[in-house]
């Protein structure tokens, strides 16, 4: 949530929504509203499955230039009862 990506030294790198197009829609909306710093606007990724997000994160994440980043935390924002089902 916002507490993570607004924390010093933290950068929001990716968002996942199961509904096709919704992750990108959320990202674009927040860029338009000026909610992200430049580093997030340039590099944030959208995913439509937990599997694709996890594969990307396990590779260390990739920035827009093809370089490797570091993924230290994945925040699961689903109802607690659904966590095991999703993962």
């Amino acid at each position: 949530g916002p507490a993570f990506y607004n924390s010093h030294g933290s950068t929001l790198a990716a968002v996942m929504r199961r509904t096709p197009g919704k992750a990108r829609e959320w990202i674009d909306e927040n860029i338009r509203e000026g909610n992200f710093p430049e580093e997030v606007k340039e590099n944030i990724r959208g995913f439509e499955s937990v599997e694709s997000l996890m594969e990307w994160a396990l590779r260390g994440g990739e920035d827009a230039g093809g370089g490797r980043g570091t993924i230290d935390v994945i925040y699961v924002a689903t109802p607690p009862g659904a966590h095991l089902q999703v993962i």
Side-chain angles (χ1 to χ4, degrees):
F4 287 118
Y5 72 80
N6 288 326
S7 296
H8 176 72
S10 176
T11 301
L12 179 63
V15 176
M16 194 283 300
R17 296 283 302 267
R18 291 177 291 175
T19 304
K22 288 292 187 179
R24 187 75 246 170
E25 185 179 302
W26 184 87
I27 291 166
D28 292 342
E29 178 181 319
N30 280 277
I31 289 173
R32 277 192 309 275
E33 292 177 5
N35 295 332
F36 297 143
E38 287 301 316
E39 66 203 37
V40 172
K41 289 184 209 179
E42 295 171 6
N43 297 308
I44 191 168
R45 302 272 307 260
F47 293 92
E48 295 178 358
S49 73
V50 170
E51 293 81 11
S52 60
L53 170 63
M54 294 300 289
E55 288 171 7
W56 174 80
L58 288 170
R59 289 193 311 267
E62 300 167 342
D63 64 23
R68 293 182 62 100
T70 300
I71 306 299
D72 295 319
V73 175
I74 296 177
Y75 175 77
V76 179
T78 58
H83 292 182
L84 186 58
Q85 295 170 5
V86 174
I87 297 172

